[in-house]
Amino acid sequence: MQVTQTYWLEHAWLDTHVEPGVAVTVSGGGSAAGADGRVTDVRTGVDAPPPGAEILRGLTLPGLANAHSHAFHRALRGTVQVGSGTFWTWREIMYSFADRLTPETYHALARAVYAEMALAGVTAVGEFHYVHHAHDGTPYTDPNAMGEALIAAAADAGIRVTLLDTAYLSSGFGQPPNPHQRRFSDGTADAWAERCSLLKDRDHARIGAAIHSVRAVPAGQLATVARWAEERRAPLHVHLSEQTAENEACLAAHGRTPTRLLADHGVLGPRTTGVHNTHLTDEDIALIGGTGTGTCMCPTTERDLADGIGPAVALQRAGSPLSLGSDSHAVIDLLEEARAMELNERLRTRTRGHWTAAALLRAASADGHAALGWDDAGTIETGALADFTTIALDTVRTAGPVPRLGAETAVFAATGADVRHTVVAGRHVVRDGAHTLVPDVPAALANAVQALRS
């Protein structure tokens, strides 16, 4: 029997403005994570909750999409903030945690991380997944045991996932993987494609592809990954020009920038998203924008790793849709990512107002979902997936502004700690600030991280 539920939203952001008193009817949801619950009706001007309605007080937004995640990096929080260094010294610490992962420990950690995301209003995550095999590079009996652990973790935490299964074949421009990277590599892009083809979509999960970087996939094999994604009309993501050292090495090896190399091998296009896109030439920006390739900015990680500030304004003007990710999970807070993208640009240019609050919310919701292949999510409208999140307007951060400025309050004052409810497929995953499926998220995080340290 089909289940119908009405939610009454005290205030709702409807893409362009905040509307008071909105009744949203959801049909088709179920108890399984990611079941296909959809919005069947949106009524405005509903001053009081209809009988039997679930009441969401505060400002309800479409669910947030975390378009770039490495779940196991959450275990590094705090540890990598000790001392100084660069991306490359950070990477050595990251490898030490990757070395210890098993399907069981990865499931436990990812379940807790995805629950943390739900508490921060995230309803879909793009998991850039490259830890495929056992420590010595030997495939597990199920060659996708690690990916399946992540898919199961998302279901257990009640959110959607796009598993961006990642080709990672080289330590740098044709060099063999180093000992830490052996478990990342399938040997060749053809072997990667064969393994990846065993993964299947399900209600809460979609399968996409990723090229780790131009240094990690030999140029002659880039087209294999791009073709796999194209044949399935699946999203394709790639770390792009995150580091100047990578740009310099690419120029030395191929005589062209990473962006040009990707373009020459058919990687760029409207289903492709470049992650970071930090150190770009004017030609790179034109190539990315002209092909409709997306840009996923991860400001909290980019500043934590001292990577630099990417040219997000120029990229968007050139035609590149923007999305947001928490990447290494220095913090998990998509509102902070949205705010940081604007504030970084203010620091660089010494001018204000590069994006409206509405534009930043779209990057965190509809455009992020589109980058992950969930084109039917990220809006509160008839036919959309019934995924939304509610921010309290009565906390020490959000109290005071009038409700019609709720979008500005959410982006420029609120944090993930102000999320009161998260609904996925029409069912409460977070209710009154508590996760309904993972009873003690802090303990789950602490236990999962400790297991990787012992």
Side-chain angles (χ1 to χ4, degrees):
M1 184 176 69
Q2 191 175 62
V3 177
T4 299
Q5 175 66 56
T6 298
Y7 285 88
W8 182 76
L9 319 182
E10 184 181 28
H11 303 280
W13 182 67
L14 301 181
D15 191 47
T16 59
H17 65 287
V18 174
E19 185 77 31
V22 177
V24 176
T25 303
V26 176
S27 182
S31 60
D36 197 29
R38 290 184 180 270
V39 174
T40 57
D41 186 50
V42 177
R43 289 181 292 135
T44 59
V46 182
D47 295 335
E54 289 265 14
I55 299 171
L56 303 184
R57 294 204 179 275
L59 173 67
T60 298
L61 312 169
L64 306 179
N66 189 349
H68 189 66
S69 163
H70 302 290
F72 79 92
H73 288 191
R74 174 61 177 81
L76 280 67
R77 189 182 294 178
T79 301
V80 291
Q81 276 71 44
V82 176
S84 61
T86 66
F87 168 87
W88 306 103
T89 53
W90 168 90
R91 190 174 72 159
E92 293 305 311
I93 301 172
M94 179 271 288
Y95 283 153
S96 71
F97 282 90
D99 288 345
R100 300 174 192 145
L101 291 168
T102 66
E104 294 74 24
T105 60
Y106 208 3
H107 172 269
L109 178 60
R111 171 179 173 268
V113 173
Y114 296 156
E116 182 182 357
M117 290 184 193
L119 288 170
V122 172
T123 56
V125 60
E127 185 60 40
F128 200 102
H129 165 57
Y130 56 80
V131 186
H132 301 305
H133 307 300
H135 177 75
D136 63 356
T138 303
Y140 291 102
T141 303
D142 175 357
N144 287 304
M146 296 293 267
E148 291 291 350
L150 292 165
I151 291 170
D156 291 345
I159 70 172
R160 304 183 194 274
V161 64
T162 297
L163 188 75
L164 297 161
D165 196 284
T166 304
Y168 194 137
L169 311 173
S170 169
S171 63
F173 298 100
Q175 297 300 309
N178 69 36
H180 295 296
Q181 297 165 340
R182 286 178 300 192
R183 68 184 313 189
F184 306 164
S185 177
D186 292 291
T188 67
D190 285 333
W192 166 84
E194 182 178 357
R195 177 186 55 75
C196 201
S197 295
L198 300 174
L199 291 160
K200 304 300 179 187
D201 289 354
R202 51 215 82 174
D203 281 345
H204 79 290
R206 293 184 179 170
I207 307 303
I211 292 164
H212 180 273
S213 55
V214 294
R215 70 177 185 272
V217 177
Q221 300 185 58
L222 292 169
T224 300
V225 183
R227 185 166 53 250
W228 187 95
E230 178 64 26
E231 288 171 353
R232 291 158 180 78
R233 303 189 68 77
L236 173 62
H237 288 214
V238 54
H239 290 134
L240 180 55
S241 288
E242 181 179 4
Q243 295 292 322
T244 55
E246 179 180 278
N247 287 0
E248 292 161 2
C250 188
L251 285 165
H254 298 292
R256 65 198 83 177
T257 67
T259 300
R260 171 52 73 182
L261 185 68
L262 294 175
D264 290 348
H265 289 275
V267 175
L268 302 186
R271 279 192 300 280
T272 299
T273 297
V275 181
H276 304 301
N277 292 359
T278 306
H279 304 285
L280 303 176
T281 66
D282 290 345
E283 182 192 20
D284 292 339
I285 292 170
L287 280 170
I288 292 167
T291 56
T293 300
T295 294
C296 179
M297 304 298 290
C298 305
T300 65
T301 291
E302 289 150 5
R303 71 192 185 196
D304 183 57
L305 297 181
D307 284 344
I309 300 171
V313 171
L315 283 160
Q316 188 171 53
R317 286 176 179 164
S320 179
L322 298 179
S323 56
L324 296 163
S326 63
D327 192 359
S328 69
H329 311 315
V331 296
I332 293 176
D333 189 338
L334 266 288
L335 299 173
E336 172 62 19
E337 303 294 345
R339 174 164 56 245
M341 188 164 69
E342 166 67 25
L343 298 186
N344 282 352
E345 199 66 25
R346 292 183 185 187
L347 285 173
R348 180 166 61 179
T349 63
R350 290 181 289 173
T351 59
R352 304 174 74 235
H354 301 275
W355 293 278
T356 63
L360 292 167
L361 285 176
R362 280 193 291 275
S365 55
D367 290 345
H369 281 95
L372 298 177
W374 297 95
D375 300 289
D376 46 357
T379 59
I380 301 175
E381 61 185 19
T382 301
L385 290 170
D387 300 353
F388 31 89
T389 187
T390 304
I391 295 171
L393 295 178
D394 57 359
T395 73
V396 292
R397 287 167 293 278
T398 62
V402 295
R404 67 180 176 81
L405 297 177
E408 287 75 12
T409 303
V411 171
F412 292 106
T415 73
D418 298 311
V419 169
R420 181 172 281 162
H421 306 288
T422 300
V423 172
V424 181
R427 69 162 183 168
H428 261 102
V429 174
V430 173
R431 185 191 296 271
D432 295 320
H435 203 288
T436 62
L437 304 174
V438 182
D440 189 341
V441 178
L445 286 163
N447 292 336
V449 172
Q450 182 58 39
L452 295 182
R453 289 181 174 149
S454 54

